[in-house]
Amino acid sequence: MEYSASDVDAMRAALAIAESALSTADVPVGAVVLDPSGAVIGRGANRREADSDPTAHAEVVALREAANQLSNWRLDGCTLVVTLEPCAMCAGAAMQSRVARIVFGAFDDKAGAVGSLWDVVRDRRLYHQPEVVSGLMASESAALLTQFFVGQRSSRDM
């Protein structure tokens, strides 16, 4: 699969967001939203633990910021770039916001809803199917998650 230069740059930005979350209690997932010209208009990291909010996934945080930036819930022509495959809630939020594309890094075999466990966004019965680009910088994304969970296990074992 070929990735555009703007996809790679956006994934690097999402990875930087995820990496900065390694020092928190939240799972290190980063997301950015690009407008149709490729400018970043939304950024997000997981904030479930920090905000005690079950909906504060990186994608939702980034989509909210992008919608606020545009003063419009419709993110037509925008791209959601995230380090981990979106779950069912986040895939649904991406569809509800009408993003044109979803680009993600690591697959999530336990909760992924963009091809792994479910494929919500490509269900032809639904009104909107964004383009999906998967596996971009997957090893880097997975390495951050592994680092986080190994640290979590180590701290529990002490």
Side-chain angles (χ1 to χ4, degrees), residues 38-82:
V40 175
I41 58 170
R43 292 173 181 78
N46 273 350
R47 298 197 45 84
R48 290 189 314 169
E49 298 294 334
D51 296 350
S52 297
D53 180 354
T55 68
H57 288 203
E59 300 95 324
V60 172
V61 172
L63 289 167
R64 285 179 180 151
E65 184 175 295
N68 189 41
Q69 187 79 9
L70 295 178
S71 297
N72 193 341
W73 64 267
R74 286 182 173 270
L75 301 178
D76 296 320
C78 293
T79 299
L80 171 65
V81 180
V82 60

Side-chain angles (χ1 to χ4, degrees), residues 102-115:
I102 298 172
V103 177
F104 70 87
F107 285 88
D108 185 351
D109 295 335
K110 294 181 181 177
V114 187

